Amino acid sequence: MSTAGTHQAAVLHGSQDLRIESVETPTLGPDDVAIAPRATGLCGTDLHYYENGRNGMFVIDQPLILGHEAAGEVLEVGSSVTSVKVGDRVVFEPQRPCSSCQQCRRGTYNLCPKLKFTGSASAKPPVQGSLQSKYHHPASFVFPIPDSVSYQQAALIEPLSVALHAVRRSGIHTGQSVLVVGAGPIGLLCAIVARVSGASTIGIVDVQQSRLDFAMTHGYADYVAQVPMISHEGENNADFAARVAKDIVSAHPSFTPADVALECTGVEVCANLGIHFTAPRGKVVIVGMGRPYQALNVGAAAVREVDIISVWRYANTFETAIDLLASGKLDLRPLVTHVYPLAETRAAFELLRSRPADLMKCIIVS
């Protein structure tokens, strides 16, 4: 690969071994766009890589630049690019499908078997992420953003796309009741999208009271309840989930069986909570990514014909997300609680590791 000089990047060499260093700048391809990332959100996947040197089955075996929730300024365009120009403010969709397989032709390119994802060790070699001062991306997945949308808000378009895809898969429509399990950024974004999709009431449950308070303060929920973290002696996960759901309904009259439950934690017990909170013929959408093998109470779902739906990232969502932000219907500013410069990326990850009560979304800016 030919190069065009060097630039600065936050490079992860292994578990908790992140260094700010110079990396080679690759030569720009004819169909690519060179972007100066101005804001990159850090997510749970990034934290898994930083803490453990791996995310599930994907292990860092060569230096990796993290970051896939990003917006920035166009620095240069390839010779064939006409969709954006130098100086444009843009966001990029971090997926790179093959564009020729059956899934890509159907429009479900998020399911492309050859898909490569930015800032992930899933591909060999990996596609380096946006925690660097210059990043290259295919022009077909780069989208202009209006001046009314800040870079920090635009960095949330990627997780907002996860929420959009989840709500689309759920089929939420006007007048339905929704339960969100997990009041982290994805859970709150799911609540926001459910609201604009017509949900009449939204309840949120979480183990952390400070996050529930945040959800109520900023209008993301109509009612909330804290989930206890301690089970009764001899109680298995299935029994725990069934009891907690019953206890919450008894203690909080607002909690009634939901038409749709959006499970946003990836935790087995929480998925079972979603099943027990869902009304007959309702839907449970598994949004959070947790352990690949989990024990779900399929019997409790079957006797009430509750549908269990999975989601994998998103497809055809970025332009909708941009339009929603530009319309003013969504205000994502409260979600950004911590901001660090690129040079202090390691400190930002250490903040994430400490999990302070006021943490919602941490953004790296440059």
Side-chain angles (χ1 to χ4, degrees):
M1 178 182 66
S2 59
T3 61
T6 61
H7 62 274
Q8 292 296 106
V11 184
L12 187 64
H13 291 265
S15 175
Q16 300 168 50
D17 181 11
L18 189 143
R19 313 169 199 171
I20 304 298
E21 56 191 34
S22 293
V23 298
E24 293 183 342
T25 305
T27 300
L28 192 67
D31 299 312
D32 294 336
V33 177
I35 301 167
R38 300 303 187 203
T40 295
L42 302 183
C43 76
T45 298
D46 298 318
L47 181 58
H48 285 311
Y49 277 124
Y50 176 79
E51 279 195 306
N52 308 309
R54 65 186 300 154
N55 180 47
M57 70 182 76
F58 304 127
V59 180
I60 295 175
D61 58 8
Q62 57 186 291
L64 177 65
I65 301 172
L66 297 172
H68 59 274
E69 304 176 358
E73 178 185 349
V74 175
L75 297 176
E76 184 182 356
V77 299
S79 58
S80 300
V81 175
T82 59
S83 54
V84 294
K85 63 183 184 304
V86 173
D88 280 354
R89 304 169 72 255
V90 297
V91 64
F92 68 84
E93 181 175 342
Q95 304 188 109
R96 301 185 185 207
C98 74
S99 300
S100 60
C101 70
Q102 186 177 56
Q103 296 301 334
C104 287
R105 292 197 301 271
R106 287 176 174 173
T108 54
Y109 58 84
N110 57 313
L111 306 179
C112 169
K114 297 180 181 178
L115 185 142
K116 296 180 180 180
F117 198 78
T118 297
S120 168
S122 56
K124 305 296 181 185
V127 176
Q128 302 295 354
S130 59
L131 289 175
Q132 53 183 320
S133 59
K134 193 172 186 178
Y135 169 79
H136 291 182
H137 201 71
S140 56
F141 283 89
V142 175
F143 305 95
I145 55 174
D147 291 341
S148 61
V149 176
S150 71
Y151 284 127
Q152 290 187 26
Q153 287 189 76
L156 295 175
I157 286 173
E158 196 275 347
L160 178 60
S161 284
V162 174
L164 275 167
H165 187 59
V167 169
R168 284 177 178 175
R169 291 274 288 149
S170 76
I172 290 171
H173 57 262
T174 303
Q176 287 194 309
S177 60
V178 173
L179 174 77
V180 176
V181 183
I186 292 294
L188 296 183
L189 287 168
C190 281
I192 293 169
V193 176
R195 182 85 73 190
V196 299
S197 299
S200 58
T201 58
I202 296 174
I204 301 181
V205 297
D206 196 283
V207 298
Q208 192 171 332
Q209 187 61 47
S210 61
R211 288 194 164 189
L212 296 173
D213 293 341
F214 183 95
M216 288 298 291
T217 298
H218 295 285
Y220 298 133
D222 298 303
Y223 42 87
V224 298
Q226 186 175 20
V227 175
M229 297 186 67
I230 301 174
S231 60
H232 290 172
E233 186 176 354
E235 191 174 48
N236 60 33
N237 285 346
D239 292 338
F240 173 78
R243 176 181 60 80
V244 168
K246 183 178 179 181
D247 288 350
I248 288 176
V249 169
S250 297
H252 301 270
S254 297
F255 275 84
T256 57
D259 295 308
V260 176
L262 297 160
E263 199 297 293
C264 301
T265 71
V267 178
E268 178 182 300
V269 167
C270 294
N272 283 301
L273 273 176
I275 290 172
H276 287 288
F277 269 120
T278 303
R281 291 249 171 147
K283 299 176 182 178
V284 177
V285 184
I286 306 298
V287 187
M289 291 296 296
R291 291 187 293 107
Y293 293 96
Q294 298 185 25
L296 300 185
N297 194 334
V298 177
V303 296
R304 290 174 293 119
E305 293 193 347
V306 170
D307 294 338
I308 299 175
I309 299 171
S310 61
V311 300
W312 181 242
R313 295 178 180 145
Y314 39 77
N316 307 301
T317 54
F318 265 59
E319 290 175 303
T320 300
I322 293 168
D323 290 344
L324 277 172
L325 279 177
S327 73
K329 293 180 180 178
L330 308 182
D331 183 8
L332 305 186
R333 289 174 296 180
L335 291 176
V336 180
T337 55
H338 295 76
V339 178
Y340 285 80
L342 180 65
E344 297 179 18
T345 300
R346 190 177 189 282
F349 275 110
E350 288 300 318
L351 172 86
L352 266 59
R353 291 187 72 207
S354 70
R355 295 171 174 82
D358 64 341
L359 172 65
M360 192 55 66
K361 196 68 180 178
C362 182
I363 301 284
I364 303 297
V365 297
S366 59

